[in-house]
Amino acid sequence: MAETVRDFLVGIGYKIDGNSEQKFRNSVESATKAVVGLGVAVAAVTTAVTAAVTKIAAGFDDLYYASQRTKASAENIKSVGYAVSQLGGSYQGAVASIEAFALKMRSNPGYEAMARSIGVVTRQNGQLRDQTKIMEDIAKAAAKMPTHIAIQYLDSFGIDEATAKAMASGEYGKRQDELRAKYKAIGADQDKAAKTGMNLSNAWRSLGATAEAFGAKLMISLGP
C-alpha cells in the first residue's frame, strides 16, 4: 500500500517525505473504514425497514380479507379494534368477535331476526348495515339487560363480553374518532392501505413460490 501511494503521488508531481506519506495513508485507510462502515449501516437499516414494511403489509393483508368476509370497511374494523383495546378489551378479541358475528349473520337469517327482536335496526334502504354498526347496537341493547340474559345474547351472536362492554361505553365513539384523526392527520386511507397490503403480501408470496420452484429445480439437478 505504501509503495503504491508513493508511486502515485510521485507520478503526479508531489514531493513528500515519509511522515507526510504516513499521514496521507492513515487518512485514506480511515476514510475507507468509514465508507465500509456506512455501507454496513445502510444495509442494516434497509433490512430493518424491509422487515417492518413486510410486517405492516401482512397486518393490512389480514385486515383486507377480514373486511371482505365481514362486509365491514377496513376503517371500521380497525377503529373498532383500537377503541376496544383502549377500553378493557383487546384488538384481537374485537376482530374475532366481528368475524364470528359476520359468520352467524351469513349462515342463518334467524340471527338478523333475533337482532331486530331486541330493537336493533339491521338494514338501511334494504341493504344490511355495516356489521360493526349492528354489533355496536346489540352491545348497547345488551347493556340494558340483566347480566345473565345479556351474556346469553352476546354468546349467541359470537360477541365476547369485553368487546361488548367497550362498545357500550360512553368513551367508545371518542376512541374510534381518535384513531381516525391520527390517520387523517397523516393522510393515510385505511381501506387503501388494506388493499395495498394485500397486493404487497401477494407479491411476496409469489416471489417466495418462485424461489421455492428454483430451489426444487436446483435440488433435482444437483441431487444425483
Side-chain angles (χ1 to χ4, degrees):
M1 171 97 183
E3 291 303 319
T4 301
V5 172
R6 180 185 294 279
D7 292 344
F8 170 73
L9 294 176
V10 170
I12 61 175
Y14 275 82
K15 294 181 180 180
I16 60 170
D17 55 27
N19 186 49
S20 298
E21 178 187 342
Q22 184 61 43
K23 288 182 179 178
F24 181 78
R25 184 175 66 181
N26 290 342
S27 297
V28 170
E29 290 177 351
S30 296
T32 300
K33 290 178 181 178
V35 170
V36 171
L38 178 62
V40 171
V42 169
V45 170
T46 301
T47 300
V49 170
T50 301
V53 170
T54 302
K55 183 177 180 180
I56 293 169
F60 276 103
D61 178 49
D62 292 340
L63 180 62
Y64 175 82
Y65 286 110
S67 175
Q68 296 298 301
R69 288 189 296 270
T70 62
K71 304 302 180 185
S73 69
E75 179 181 345
N76 280 347
I77 294 174
K78 197 78 172 175
S79 65
V80 167
Y82 175 78
V84 170
S85 71
Q86 295 288 78
L87 295 168
S90 69
Y91 179 88
Q92 293 79 7
V95 174
S97 291
I98 294 171
E99 291 266 26
F101 177 75
L103 177 59
K104 287 178 180 291
M105 294 291 280
R106 290 197 305 271
S107 63
N108 190 338
Y111 286 105
E112 186 178 349
M114 184 164 65
R116 290 198 299 268
S117 73
I118 58 175
V120 174
V121 176
T122 58
R123 292 182 179 268
Q124 190 170 25
N125 298 325
Q127 299 295 317
L128 197 66
R129 295 169 61 210
D130 187 299
Q131 310 258 0
T132 61
K133 298 300 182 184
I134 299 175
M135 285 177 64
E136 290 168 21
D137 289 345
I138 290 174
K140 290 174 182 176
K144 300 174 183 177
M145 303 175 183
T147 302
H148 66 285
I149 296 176
I151 289 176
Q152 290 180 45
Y153 270 105
L154 295 175
D155 284 345
S156 297
F157 285 116
I159 305 171
D160 75 76
E161 187 178 11
T163 295
K165 284 184 176 298
M167 286 181 163
S169 165
E171 291 288 306
Y172 179 72
K174 179 181 176 181
R175 297 297 186 180
Q176 284 188 303
D177 291 341
E178 185 179 296
L179 182 67
R180 291 190 177 105
K182 291 179 187 294
Y183 275 83
K184 185 176 181 180
I186 295 171
D189 184 300
Q190 296 181 66
D191 290 289
K192 287 183 179 178
K195 188 170 184 179
T196 301
M198 177 272 293
N199 288 331
L200 182 56
S201 293
N202 282 347
W204 276 116
R205 284 188 285 265
S206 177
L207 181 62
T210 302
E212 185 178 346
F214 274 111
K217 175 63 176 176
L218 186 64
M219 180 187 67
I220 293 169
S221 299
L222 299 183

